[in-house]
Structures are given as C-alpha cells and as structure tokens.
Amino acid sequence: MQLCKALAARLALGMAVTLGGAVDVLAQDQNGNWTEYNGDHRAWRYSPLDEINLSNIAKLKVAWIHQPGDIAQGLQATPLVSEGVLYYIAANNRVYAIDGKTGAQIWEFIPELEPDHIKSTFAVFNRGVALANGKVIFGSSDGRLIAVDQASGKEAWQVQLTNPKEGHGCNFNAPPTIAGNIAILGKTGGDLAQRGQIYGVDVTSGKLIWTFDVLKDDPSSWTPEAIKIGGGGAWMPGQYDPKTGLYYVGTSNPAPDYYGASRPGDNLYTSSIVAIEPKSGKLVWHHQEVPHDVWDYDSQNEIVSLEHGGNDVMFHLNKGGFVTVLNKKDGKVINVWQFAENVTWVDKVDPKTGGLINRNEPTTTETKIICPAIVGARSLNAGAYSPKTKLWYTNGYELCAKVKAADNDPSKLAFSQLHLGVSEISFTAPPGKSADAFLKAFDPLTGKLAWRVDYKNPALGFVLATAGNLVFNGDSEGYVHAYDATTGKEVWKLQTGSGIRGGIVSYKAGGKQYIVVPSGFGGIFPAHTSSVWTDFKNMRGGAALIAFTVE
C-alpha cells in the first residue's frame, strides 16, 4: 500500500510538469525515463545517460531481479520507465509495476482471458505496454485493449476490438502507440485467412474512434473474394511523430503468403509503410515496399527517423533484406540498400524508386530456394541508432527456404492455421554457404558497414545504444554483451540464465543509471528454425527482469 501511495505522488508530480507545457523528448530521456516502446518517436532505442560507460563497464553488477512467475514463451517485452518505476508485461498478459531502484513489486494486474485465446497461433506472449494519461495500456491475447490505473494497477477500462473465436484467432501481442489522446494498434494475422485492420481508441474513455482497413477496397488491388481473407494487419508498434502529427507503421503481408494467383493486383496496403492521421484514421501517404507480395515480406520492423541534409528522413528494414530510406513528409524514396548478403527473390531493388527488378516468384511446378526465408533477414527485434557515432546497430542472419506454392483451400484450414499457400516449405542455409548470424553496425543511409560481430545462433533480443559509447545486445544462449560502440570490441558480458528476446533499456532511479535486461527465451522463430540452428532445440526457458548498475 505504501508503495502504491508513493507511486501516486510521483505520478501526480510528473503529470503536473507535463501539463504545464510541452516537454522535450530528449529532456525526458535525460531525466532517466523510457516512456515509449522504441525509446521515443524516432525509434532510436538510444539512451543519453552516460554514467555507465567504457571507463567503468567492468564494474557493472546485478542490482535486482524480478520474476513474473509465468515462463511460457519467455519474456519478450520492452519495459517502460517513468519517474523511476518500471512497467512491463509478461506471458498471458500479466502486467507489473516495479520500483526501479529496489526491484520491489508495486502492483500486478492479471486479466481473466477468454479460454479459447490459447488456440491462437499468436497466443500467450506479449511485447509491451504503453503509458498515457496516468494509464498503462496493452493489447490482449483475446482481442481487447485494456487500460489499468498507473498508480494502483486497477482496471480503468477495456474494449473488445477483435473476436478471438473468429478471424482465425487474430489478437494483439504488441503495445499500442500513443498519438495525443488516441491509442493506435493493429492486430495479428498477415498469415491468416482474415481481413487485417488498425484501430484508433480514445485513451480517456476506451471508445473505438476509427478503424483503418489495411486491405484497400479497390478492384485494382483486390478481387471481392480475395479481400475477405487477404491477411494484412500491423502486428508491431508504429511511431507517432509530434512534429508532423502523423502515425507511421509497417503493415503485414497478404494471404495466402506464397500463392499469389488467388489474389491478383498490387494488394495494397499490405507490405507497406503507411502514414495515418491519428485523429481521423485517414491515410496521408503510403509506400508499398513489396507490391503483390508472394514471399511473406512484412514491413513490420521499426521505422527510424533522422535529420539529414536539412530534411526529415526515415529508414526501414523490410523482411526481404533491403533498407529503404524515405522522405518523412511524403514517403518518396531517397535510397535503397541491400542488407542481406543472400537475395534470390529479386535481382535488386531500384535505389531511386524502390521498384522491384526481375521478380523470382514461387511456383506450383517446382521447388525454389527463396532468400531470405519467411522469417526475413532479421527477426522483429529492433536495432539501435547512436547520434554520437551515427551508426545503426542491428542483429541479422542469412537464411533461405525451399518453397513450392500451392492453391490451398481456405475453407479447410484448421482454426488459426496459417494460410501460407504452399505444398512444400523448409528452411535451409544459403546455397554453398553457412547460415550466418551477426550483429552489425551500419551507416543507415548508405549501408556502409563499420563493424561486425558473429554469433553461433541468431541473437533475438533488441539492441540498446547509450551515450556512454556502449552497445548492449542479448544473445540466444543467455549472455548479455556490451560492446564499444565505435569499434565493436566486446567490453563486458554476463550469463542471465535464459536466452534474450525482449528489449534492453536504460533508465535512472535514485540518481543512478541502470541497464535492465528481460531474460527468457521463447517465441515462434526458434521453434521454426531449429532445423538449421539446432541449438534452439535445447535452449533453456525462463522469465526474469534483471537490472544492472555500477556501484
């Protein structure tokens, strides 16, 4: 009770400061907060705190550990931090508030979920919460958006947005993005026989304000039958830029994934970057990275914003292994560079227009090796950008798939069965090569490589860069590593007990800087790719939030 009262007092002070005038995002960061999924609206995953740095990183020690108790699918969230309190979500939508200095639990919220939610392909795991107007807000495994009071952990409101018994189990497993008084989130389901949507919900009341259909109702994009089960959605968070007043998000792939004959057209707005007006849900502009996608190359990854040459630009890694640099104002292509070393689905992407040159599509008559595979050139785990080094640090891997397309009957799909449109699919290393895994540092606008660190298996955690000239990364074996941001030299590591799938963040509490690491392995990726990276079959499970500091 005393912890809840103290938290309420801190929240009142923080809200009073915020309501007194506009608060600069960097100023908030300097105060030691981490209030958005990717750090702030630029998606840098960068902390300007520098108390922990190259000179003292060897002294980094465990400060506290919090265990949520449920280890199903590990711990995949990125914690948020406000006024020294951490908020995070664990398996089966268990939400916690933790004292950032001591690790003491302030409150927990355990929702009662619709029993059938567990039948969904994307059940159990969740990747984060959002903070807004004194509330902790999250999408649930059974299709709801739920808000709880930030001070007490009591439910404030809930709204049912999808029916988990329909739509082949479409639900939410990533946090909403807060755009003013609107919480925006998209449902899962790019690979499912359903119609993907993005929702805008009033933060104060929980009322649904608008719905954006990812599948454009246009005969040049979709036939009347195909649009009913065309997939789409937006299963990772977008970014709201208060400067432009727009919400940017990458959308999911169309379905069936590999059999495009059943859905002729460009299949807008799947596999695209879309800019949406948050109050109305109206589309402002779009850039479709993969028109008529027949390779499952969602655009779900983080959209990172920079200032360059006096212009606001953004860059984005698509699952197809290319990074596209866009003008943030209108979505015009500035540059495209190749991230993956092994690419067979196109000869190249035009760096001036983003056009695909010489498509190599799956067929029903032969098995083709498609590179990258359905899991892309990197998983959903975001990279980090440092304004000090001007480098983007990101994990990645080289993996291909053997694919033969097929006209699967959607009426015969089991509940929540993926609508892939294949008769054959399996993972394989690139022809004549090994299935490499790595952490790389790039110039994000040109693709020039600065340094590389190799791993035995893909690292599936989210990267953190800090003003202490450090890069933190967690691997699948359970080690959290710290590297010199300039050279890539490893300067520290520690075994956390289980592989890392969540987001490493930095914050300040009690006047000290902390690094917090979500440890706990799980998810769909290691299960699907264990035929190539066989160590995944023996990885330890777990779930623990581990905070580090320098004494």
Side-chain angles (χ1 to χ4, degrees):
M1 181 63 71
Q2 288 299 112
L3 282 172
C4 285
K5 288 181 178 178
L7 175 53
R10 273 186 276 183
L11 287 173
L13 176 60
M15 290 182 72
V17 172
T18 302
L19 292 172
V23 180
D24 180 78
V25 173
L26 272 177
Q28 287 185 339
D29 290 345
Q30 291 288 0
N31 290 333
N33 295 321
W34 188 286
T35 56
E36 295 188 38
Y37 183 72
N38 284 316
D40 64 19
H41 69 276
R42 298 165 300 187
W44 287 2
R45 285 190 172 258
Y46 171 81
S47 171
L49 302 177
D50 61 2
E51 179 183 313
I52 299 170
N53 52 57
L54 286 171
S55 70
N56 61 11
I57 184 65
K59 299 178 182 179
L60 195 65
K61 304 292 184 182
V62 174
W64 55 259
I65 301 173
H66 182 266
Q67 295 176 317
D70 190 336
I71 69 169
Q73 296 288 358
L75 188 53
Q76 300 189 33
T78 293
L80 301 187
V81 190
S82 178
E83 303 298 326
V85 178
L86 279 78
Y87 304 89
Y88 82 100
I89 191 167
N92 290 301
N93 302 163
R94 295 168 175 248
V95 182
Y96 299 89
I98 308 296
D99 186 299
K101 184 178 179 181
T102 66
Q105 181 173 298
I106 299 172
W107 54 255
E108 67 176 356
F109 177 81
I110 302 177
E112 187 173 324
L113 298 171
E114 159 64 45
D116 282 345
H117 88 98
I118 198 67
K119 299 178 182 179
S120 170
T121 300
F122 309 107
V124 181
F125 59 88
N126 198 295
R127 300 184 179 106
V129 300
L131 301 178
N133 293 5
K135 299 178 180 69
V136 182
I137 307 174
F138 65 96
S140 74
S141 186
D142 58 2
R144 291 175 288 165
L145 187 65
I146 301 174
V148 301
D149 182 81
Q150 196 171 337
S152 67
K154 303 296 184 182
E155 184 178 306
W157 52 255
Q158 62 169 280
V159 58
Q160 191 78 47
L161 297 175
T162 74
N163 185 341
K165 296 183 179 182
E166 299 177 354
H168 278 269
C170 287
N171 55 12
F172 305 105
N173 51 36
T177 299
I178 305 302
N181 198 47
I182 303 295
I184 307 174
L185 78 167
K187 64 181 179 181
T188 59
D191 308 319
L192 299 176
Q194 56 90 42
R195 187 168 181 171
Q197 296 172 320
I198 300 171
Y199 306 94
V201 176
D202 185 278
V203 168
T204 303
S205 65
K207 179 182 177 181
L208 176 64
I209 303 299
W210 53 260
T211 299
F212 176 82
D213 285 309
V214 174
L215 308 189
K216 185 181 181 182
D217 191 4
D218 183 333
S220 64
S221 289
W222 296 93
T223 65
E225 290 303 312
I227 198 170
K228 296 176 183 179
I229 53 172
W235 53 274
M236 287 295 286
Q239 301 294 133
Y240 170 66
D241 187 341
K243 181 178 178 181
T244 64
L246 296 178
Y247 165 75
Y248 307 89
V249 71
T251 63
S252 306
N253 59 282
D257 297 30
Y258 289 104
Y259 186 72
S262 65
R263 47 175 174 83
D266 53 19
N267 301 147
L268 286 171
Y269 296 100
T270 59
S271 303
S272 301
I273 302 295
V274 295
I276 294 173
E277 205 287 317
K279 292 182 180 180
S280 65
K282 293 182 178 179
L283 182 72
V284 177
W285 60 256
H286 76 277
H287 171 68
Q288 190 173 37
E289 293 180 315
V290 188
H292 190 68
D293 179 3
V294 290
W295 305 276
D296 189 346
Y297 289 155
D298 318 47
S299 297
Q300 86 285 349
N301 290 329
E302 73 278 12
I303 301 168
V304 187
S305 298
L306 302 172
E307 288 187 6
H308 178 70
N311 295 315
D312 290 331
V313 304
M314 57 172 61
F315 67 89
H316 175 260
L317 170 63
N318 179 269
K319 279 173 64 176
F322 290 87
V323 173
T324 302
V325 184
L326 301 171
N327 186 305
K328 198 167 189 178
K329 180 180 179 181
D330 54 18
K332 300 298 183 184
V333 174
I334 296 172
N335 188 31
V336 180
W337 57 269
Q338 187 170 321
F339 173 89
E341 294 178 8
N342 298 279
V343 172
T344 65
W345 65 283
V346 289
D347 284 349
K348 63 179 181 178
V349 177
D350 189 310
K352 295 183 179 180
T353 67
L356 308 184
I357 299 174
N358 295 330
R359 298 164 60 110
N360 177 27
E361 299 188 2
T363 71
T364 59
T365 57
E366 65 175 317
T367 300
K368 291 187 176 183
I369 295 180
I370 303 295
C371 308
I374 190 172
V375 292
R378 192 202 74 191
S379 191
L380 57 92
N381 47 317
Y385 174 79
S386 170
K388 294 187 71 172
T389 63
K390 293 183 169 43
L391 295 176
W392 178 50
Y393 309 94
T394 184
N395 290 296
Y397 43 78
E398 298 291 332
L399 183 68
C400 304
K402 296 178 180 179
V403 177
K404 188 176 184 179
D407 185 10
N408 302 149
D409 184 350
S411 67
K412 296 181 179 180
L413 294 171
F415 180 77
S416 202
Q417 180 181 349
L418 300 185
H419 188 24
L420 297 180
V422 293
S423 60
E424 178 185 342
I425 183 169
S426 62
F427 293 108
T428 183
K433 300 179 182 178
S434 61
D436 294 343
F438 48 78
L439 172 69
K440 289 181 178 180
F442 292 102
D443 178 324
L445 302 183
T446 67
K448 182 179 179 181
L449 181 66
W451 52 259
R452 167 179 177 151
V453 173
D454 289 307
Y455 295 126
K456 183 180 179 182
N457 302 294
L460 301 175
F462 294 64
V463 186
L464 169 70
T466 76
N469 207 39
L470 294 168
V471 172
F472 290 89
N473 193 39
D475 68 29
S476 297
E477 286 74 34
Y479 282 98
V480 54
H481 305 262
Y483 301 98
D484 183 313
T486 303
T487 67
K489 178 184 177 181
E490 184 176 271
V491 292
W492 176 88
K493 74 174 181 178
L494 184 135
Q495 174 60 244
T496 66
S498 182
I500 295 164
R501 290 241 52 190
I504 304 172
V505 307
S506 185
Y507 67 94
K508 186 176 286 187
K512 296 182 64 175
Q513 182 185 358
Y514 292 79
I515 307 293
V516 65
V517 179
S519 172
F521 204 59
I524 295 173
F525 181 99
H528 284 178
T529 61
S530 61
S531 60
V532 175
W533 291 296
T534 56
D535 288 346
F536 282 156
K537 297 177 181 179
N538 301 310
M539 295 295 185
R540 295 185 299 272
L545 197 64
I546 307 174
F548 300 85
T549 193
V550 172
E551 297 296 338

